[in-house]
Amino acid sequence: MIRAALLLALLLLQPLTATAQPKAETVTSKGGVVVCVSPPAADVGLKVLKAGGNAVDAAVATAFAMAVTWPEAGNIGGGGFMMIAPAGKDPTCIEYRETSPVAAKPDLFADGKVTWLNHKAAGVPGTVRGLALAHKKYGKLEWKTLVLPAAELAENGFTVNAVLAGGLNKVLADAKTTNAEFKRVYGKPGGEKWRGGDKLVLKDLGHTLRVIAEKGADAFYTGELADLLEKEMKAEGGLITKADLEAYKANERKPIHATFRGFDVYGPPPPSSGGVAIAEMLNILENFDLKKQGRWAPETSHLMIEAMKRAYTDRARHLGDPDFTKIPAELTTKDYAKKLAATIDLQKATPSAELAPEIPLDKQSDSTTHFSVVDKDGLAVSNTYTLENSYGNRVVVHGAGYILNNEMTDFNTRPGFTSTKGDIGTKPNQIAPGKRMLSSMTPVIVLKDGKPVLITGSPGGRTIINTVLCIVLNVTEFGMPIDEAVSAPRLHHQWFPDAARFEGVKSHPELVTKLKALGHTITEARQGDGHSIWIDPKTGLRTGAADKRLDGKAVGE
Ligand code: GLY
C-alpha cells in the first residue's frame, strides 16, 4: 500500500512534458550506422558496410532490400530523393522522382474522379535509375553485390514481423484492394491472416531483382522487364509505355542550402518542396529567440505554426518541377524571410485564408519511408523514397512482382479547380508529359563546420517537411539528444486546412489551451517516422535513433 502510494507520488512528480510518443531506440558506434523502419533491411545495409562498402553502397543495398521487406513504401516501382554528403565537399542530391507518362495531359483527371488505385495513377518509376546513378557516382562496391541481397530475401523468403503482418492484413482486407495479382502475391497462402514469425516469399520480385543485379539498372527500363510493364499497362488502361521507361532519367541536382544558428542545412531542391520550405521556415524562425522561450512554450509553437503556414502558402503558389516552372529564388533568402517574419502577430494566429484565399490544398497520403546511413569515414546519406500511398496503387506488375506507385495523384489534378474541401488547381504543379510531380520528401543533412552532424527525414505526405523541421529545431536550437529529438511530439500546419496537428495534445495540455487562446485550431494525430543519426562533432561518435512510432532498427559497426 505504502509502496503503491509512493509510486503514485513519484508518477505525479513526473514533469508534464513527458512525451506519450514511444522512445526512439538507439545504437552508438565509432563506425558506420544504418537506421531504417525495416529490421532485415537495416541488417543488409550493415553487412554491406562490414564488407567494405561505403554509405552510398549501404544505402543502395538497404533501398533494394526495403523493396522486399517494407512493401508499403520500399520500392523499385516508385521514386525518391537521396542526399549525399561526401567528405570535404558540399552535399549533393540524387533526384529520382517519377515522371508523368508522355500520354498524360493536364486534364487526365479533370473529371474529379482521381482513382488512385488505378493503373493511370502510376508515374514512370525512378528508383532503379536513381540508385544506379548514386552508385555510379559515389559508390564503391560492385553493383551486383548491392542488389543480390534483396533478390535473395525475396527468393528465399524473410520473416514477417508483427508490424508488417498488421500492415499486410489491413491492406488485404480493404475492399478497395482489388488487383488480383496484388492479392495473389501478398496474400498468405491458404487465405489466412499474416502473423509475426510467418515467412513471405516473393518469387517474381526475386527474379526481377536478380535481372537488375546481373544486367544493371537499364534492364528495368528496357527488354523483358519493360515488356512486362507495358503489357500490364495496355491490359488495364494505364499510360506508361516502353518509350517512357527508356526515356526516364535520374538527375544529380544542387541541394537547397540554408544556414541556421551556425549550422548548414541541406535539403532536396524542386521537384521536392522540402528543401525550399525547410529553408524558408528556418529563415523565418531565426528572427526569434526560440531557445530563450523554451521548446514547449506557447510562443515557440505559435511561431512554428505561423512559419509553417507561410512556407506552405508559397509551396502551393510557386513550387513544381523546375524543368517546367520558374521558381522564385527569393523564397530561400534571409531578406524575404525577414519580411514574412514581420507579418506574424505574436498575440494572434493569422487565418490561413488571409495568406492566399484563392488556393486551398488537397490531401496527401503519408506512406513513404526514410532511412539514414553514415559510414566509418563520415560519408553521410539521407534517403526518402515512396510509392505515394501505402502499397502504392496496390497493383503488382504481372510476372515482375513489384508494386506500382500512384504518384500521379501528387500533381494538381484538376487544372483551375479549387475548393474549400481542399482541391488545388494552380499551374506550377499541373500534369504535363514527362513532368515530375511536386514532392514533400525532405531527406536532410545538417553540417557543422563542414562536417555532417545530423542525418534525418521522414514519411508523411505534406507533414514530412514539418516533421523534419521539428527534428532539426530540437537538435540545433534546443540541443536535445537525438533520441529525444526523434521522440518528441511533432507539430504540423500546412496552411489549409487552417488547423494545426499536434502529437502532444495529451502530454502538453497547457500548451494546447494557450495555443487555442491565440486563435489556433489544434487537432491530434500521429506524425512521421524519422529514422535519424547524430554525429557528435567533438567525439565523432555516431548515434542512430530508430523512431518507434511504427517500427525500426538502428544498427552500427
Ligand atoms: N508522395 C509523397 C511525396 O512525394 O511527398
Side-chain angles (χ1 to χ4, degrees):
M1 188 69 189
I2 292 172
R3 271 188 64 184
L6 264 175
L7 226 123
L8 185 67
L10 268 176
L11 276 175
L12 290 175
L13 280 175
Q14 293 289 315
L16 268 178
T17 52
T19 68
Q21 281 59 53
K23 206 171 154 26
E25 264 178 33
T26 58
V27 71
T28 299
S29 168
K30 281 188 180 147
V33 171
V34 182
V35 200
C36 75
V37 68
S38 170
D43 292 338
V44 166
L46 181 63
K47 255 195 199 150
V48 168
L49 290 178
K50 285 187 170 165
N54 67 14
V56 172
D57 294 324
V60 168
T62 303
F64 277 116
M66 282 175 71
V68 178
T69 62
W70 191 248
E72 81 161 69
N75 69 79
I76 54 172
F81 296 82
M82 181 183 286
M83 294 287 302
I84 301 171
K89 287 197 189 140
D90 283 347
T92 186
C93 178
I94 301 294
E95 173 265 304
Y96 55 100
R97 185 66 161 162
E98 299 92 325
T99 53
S100 173
V102 163
K105 300 287 179 301
D107 63 353
L108 179 65
F109 302 117
D111 60 1
K113 297 188 188 107
V114 182
T115 42
W116 57 274
L117 295 178
N118 180 299
H119 286 66
K120 278 200 178 71
V124 182
T127 297
V128 179
R129 281 214 166 121
L131 298 179
L133 180 62
H135 171 257
K136 185 173 156 209
K137 295 200 107 170
Y138 299 99
K140 218 165 98 182
L141 297 186
E142 202 191 344
W143 167 256
K144 191 171 157 179
T145 60
L146 309 179
V147 192
L148 277 182
E152 281 158 14
L153 279 167
E155 287 164 349
N156 304 332
F158 65 97
T159 305
V160 169
N161 69 9
V163 176
L164 177 56
L168 286 170
N169 291 336
K170 194 168 157 212
V171 70
L172 289 162
D174 186 343
K176 293 201 280 289
T177 307
T178 54
N179 181 251
E181 187 64 356
F182 183 92
K183 289 181 173 181
R184 183 188 74 78
V185 168
Y186 285 99
K188 185 165 159 176
E192 286 157 35
K193 288 203 160 161
W194 289 102
R195 289 165 183 261
D198 286 344
K199 196 174 181 189
L200 176 56
V201 179
L202 299 162
K203 285 280 181 219
D204 291 343
L205 180 57
H207 172 72
T208 293
L209 288 164
R210 198 164 276 281
V211 172
I212 295 169
E214 304 285 350
K215 298 189 179 167
D218 284 350
F220 182 82
Y221 294 89
T222 55
E224 120 187 51
L225 295 177
D227 286 343
L228 287 172
L229 182 55
E230 189 174 72
K231 193 169 157 211
E232 175 81 34
M233 288 286 148
K234 279 192 175 149
E236 302 289 340
L239 302 179
I240 302 173
T241 62
K242 280 176 74 176
D244 287 323
L245 280 166
E246 197 162 354
Y248 182 85
K249 208 172 143 293
N251 297 306
E252 181 164 19
R253 294 187 191 258
K254 192 172 181 302
I256 301 291
H257 174 207
T259 58
F260 182 75
R261 310 276 196 241
F263 290 91
D264 291 282
V265 181
Y266 290 87
S272 173
S273 55
V276 170
I278 278 282
E280 192 171 324
M281 291 190 285
L282 289 173
N283 285 341
I284 293 174
L285 292 170
E286 207 175 36
N287 291 285
F288 305 93
D289 194 344
L290 304 183
K291 191 170 184 181
K292 194 163 160 209
Q293 291 172 178
R295 177 63 181 90
W296 307 111
E299 293 82 357
T300 297
S301 292
H302 173 65
L303 288 167
M304 286 171 70
I305 293 170
E306 294 301 313
M308 288 169 183
K309 278 182 201 171
R310 284 156 178 78
Y312 277 75
T313 307
D314 280 336
R315 179 188 185 279
R317 257 194 203 118
H318 297 298
L319 300 189
D321 182 339
D323 297 338
F324 288 73
T325 301
K326 185 154 174 40
I327 295 166
E330 75 160 355
L331 296 182
T332 54
T333 64
K334 300 275 185 200
D335 281 351
Y336 178 65
K338 213 178 244 321
K339 279 186 216 148
L340 288 183
T343 67
I344 297 177
D345 183 335
L346 299 179
Q347 307 302 326
K348 188 159 77 62
T350 309
S352 291
E354 282 179 17
L355 293 171
E358 75 285 10
I359 38 176
L361 294 170
D362 66 348
K363 192 168 126 287
Q364 273 196 357
S365 124
D366 64 356
S367 262
T368 293
T369 189
H370 174 82
F371 62 85
S372 300
V373 186
V374 65
D375 65 24
K376 61 179 174 21
D377 299 321
L379 176 65
V381 176
S382 187
N383 187 84
T384 311
Y385 71 155
T386 188
L387 289 167
E388 167 59 356
N389 283 98
S390 193
Y391 299 92
N393 64 1
R394 302 186 194 171
V395 167
V396 167
V397 178
H398 274 91
Y402 65 89
I403 301 174
L404 279 172
N405 70 82
N406 58 338
E407 219 70 60
M408 292 294 285
T409 62
D410 267 358
F411 278 116
N412 297 346
T413 47
R414 299 180 73 183
F417 179 81
T418 63
S419 82
T420 49
K421 277 193 186 153
D423 304 276
I424 176 169
T426 53
K427 212 160 170 50
N429 189 35
Q430 283 174 11
I431 298 174
K435 187 173 174 179
R436 288 156 146 85
M437 57 295 289
L438 185 64
S439 170
S440 295
M441 287 187 273
T442 315
V444 152
I445 301 179
V446 179
L447 272 59
K448 180 89 183 153
D449 302 325
K451 288 196 175 148
V453 289
L454 175 65
I455 310 167
T456 191
S458 176
R462 244 176 283 146
T463 68
I464 292 173
I465 312 169
N466 287 331
T467 295
V468 173
L469 177 75
C470 290
I471 296 174
V472 169
L473 284 177
N474 289 345
V475 170
T476 59
E477 178 81 342
F478 297 101
M480 285 186 195
I482 191 68
D483 52 339
E484 246 181 70
V486 165
S487 303
R490 293 168 184 154
L491 188 62
H492 173 69
H493 196 300
Q494 59 177 41
W495 174 51
F496 274 113
D498 191 357
R501 287 166 46 166
F502 182 44
E503 283 188 317
V505 168
K506 291 191 188 67
S507 54
H508 297 69
E510 281 180 29
L511 168 57
V512 172
T513 305
K514 286 184 181 153
L515 286 174
K516 283 183 178 167
L518 288 169
H520 297 287
T521 300
I522 308 286
T523 61
E524 187 177 18
R526 182 178 68 76
Q527 186 175 318
D529 190 37
H531 303 286
S532 307
I533 298 173
W534 166 251
I535 303 153
D536 189 312
K538 289 196 190 96
T539 63
L541 267 186
R542 296 85 193 272
T543 303
D547 191 336
K548 298 302 280 188
R549 281 169 177 79
L550 213 51
D551 195 1
K553 188 172 177 186
V555 289
E557 281 182 295

